[in-house]
Amino acid sequence: MHLASNLRFLRKQKGITQNELADQLDVQRTMISAYEDGRSEPKLLTLGKLSDLLDVGLEELLNHDIEGKGRKAIQKRGVNILTIACDEHDKENITLVGQKASAGYLNGFADSQYMENLPQFHIPTLSKQVTYRAFELAGDSMLPLTSGTIVIGAYVEQLTDIKSGKTYVLVTETEGVVYKRIFNYLSDNGKLFLVSDNEQYKPYEVKGEDVVEIWEAKAFISTDFPNPGDKKKPLTLEDLGEMISDIRADLRTLRS
């Protein structure tokens, strides 16, 4: 069990003193010292509060060496066997997950029969060394891409390969299938920060352990040509810098 060392490491990482943590847990400071020295173990209710205060899952807090190995979310994931579809020439097709199919995709992505029943197509200009999947967007959270646009994503095996500021389709246990601009804070707090290009939608966090699949957006297909009025101006480096600054401010608010 790594509770004692993890508690000490995460408390210091967040800049919280033993007195401050004791006040938030409504216990004596000597109890925090005892937890961190391994002389005492918190009760289940206190463990739940610690998990929330330190932004860490109970399993990771108790059983993973965070200081020695880093956050659990950045550990190398085992090889995921993807269910793919091929044509009569054994060339890999792109499977399309439509809006209606996305609701069941989380339960069926590993089911070969489910995947075979989804539409398939091929784009010869894409690299043959990469596995692709296509997802139909719903809603207007990623304008100027409108609802019904098909985003083609390249499979990403490791969470650590997610590059901040790029767009991805994430398949998660908590949110299902989502297409967002991602900011990678896995090494800091084990989470990804998901941002919509439509500013009317608030960003939110997803735990790394809740991510099932990652697909980096590479192309899109749409019958609705982008209208200049759909977005005031193209996203520039300056816009991205301002977006990152706003996100950092939001993170500080979430942590406080």
Side-chain angles (χ1 to χ4, degrees), residues 112-130:
S112 57
Q113 186 173 3
Y114 172 86
M115 296 299 294
E116 286 173 2
N117 289 329
L118 295 178
Q120 301 164 19
F121 63 98
H122 182 66
I123 298 180
T125 55
L126 293 177
S127 170
K128 296 178 176 58
Q129 310 302 316
V130 180

Side-chain angles (χ1 to χ4, degrees), residues 53-66:
L53 289 170
L54 300 175
D55 282 325
V56 61
L58 277 178
E59 196 280 331
E60 183 177 8
L61 178 63
L62 296 173
N63 300 317
H64 181 70
D65 181 7
I66 298 175

Side-chain angles (χ1 to χ4, degrees):
M1 182 179 288
H2 296 277
L3 173 62
S5 59
N6 285 341
L7 176 54
R8 185 187 310 109
F9 175 74
L10 291 173
R11 176 182 62 75
K12 291 182 177 180
Q13 186 183 58
K14 285 184 170 292
I16 303 173
T17 66
Q18 288 187 342
N19 281 326
E20 289 169 339
L21 185 58
D23 288 342
Q24 293 182 71
L25 294 176
D26 196 23
V27 299
Q28 297 293 320
R29 187 205 64 79
T30 53
M31 288 302 300
I32 304 299
S33 178
Y35 296 157
E36 294 186 356
D37 291 341
R39 292 181 284 109
S40 180
E41 294 182 1
K43 295 179 180 179
L44 185 60
L45 181 61
T46 304
L47 274 175
K49 291 180 180 178
L50 280 170
S51 174
D52 292 337
L53 289 170
L54 300 175
D55 282 325
V56 61
L58 277 178
E59 196 280 331
E60 183 177 8
L61 178 63
L62 296 173
N63 300 317
H64 181 70
D65 181 7
I66 298 175
E67 183 175 12
K69 297 181 179 179
R71 294 303 298 254
K72 190 174 181 180
I74 67 172
Q75 306 305 305
K76 189 171 183 179
R77 305 196 333 168
V79 176
N80 186 21
I81 306 300
L82 288 174
T83 303
I84 60 173
C86 297
D87 62 15
E88 64 273 17
H89 303 294
D90 208 30
K91 292 182 178 179
E92 190 173 321
N93 277 333
I94 299 172
T95 300
L96 170 62
V97 182
Q99 291 183 16
K100 292 182 179 179
S102 65
Y105 181 78
L106 186 60
N107 295 321
F109 68 90
D111 185 338
S112 57
Q113 186 173 3
Y114 172 86
M115 296 299 294
E116 286 173 2
N117 289 329
L118 295 178
Q120 301 164 19
F121 63 98
H122 182 66
I123 298 180
T125 55
L126 293 177
S127 170
K128 296 178 176 58
Q129 310 302 316
V130 180
T131 294
Y132 296 95
R133 194 146 292 168
F135 299 85
E136 184 181 9
L137 301 188
D140 62 350
S141 68
M142 293 301 285
L143 292 175
L145 300 187
T146 57
S147 185
T149 298
I150 295 170
V151 172
I152 300 172
Y155 182 65
V156 178
E157 189 170 287
Q158 300 297 332
L159 289 172
T160 49
D161 291 331
I162 294 176
K163 300 177 180 62
S164 291
K166 289 185 173 293
T167 54
Y168 295 84
V169 174
L170 291 186
V171 182
T172 74
E173 294 180 356
T174 53
E175 301 293 330
V177 180
V178 296
Y179 173 60
K180 299 292 179 183
R181 193 170 300 278
I182 309 297
F183 292 83
N184 191 338
Y185 292 98
L186 295 171
S187 59
D188 296 330
N189 61 10
K191 296 178 181 179
L192 298 170
F193 205 61
L194 279 57
V195 180
S196 299
D197 283 351
N198 185 342
E199 296 175 357
Q200 293 183 5
Y201 291 81
K202 291 185 178 181
Y204 59 93
E205 293 177 319
V206 167
K207 293 180 180 178
E209 59 262 34
D210 291 337
V211 178
V212 179
E213 287 183 351
I214 317 146
W215 302 87
E216 183 180 355
K218 293 294 185 181
F220 70 89
I221 302 170
S222 177
T223 57
D224 185 7
F225 284 85
N227 187 320
D230 289 340
K231 195 169 177 68
K232 291 181 290 185
K233 58 181 179 179
L235 191 68
T236 66
L237 290 175
E238 290 76 14
D239 293 330
L240 193 55
E242 291 180 7
M243 183 185 295
I244 292 173
S245 296
D246 291 341
I247 288 168
R248 286 175 176 164
D250 288 336
L251 279 174
R252 285 193 293 270
T253 301
L254 287 170
R255 290 169 178 169
S256 61

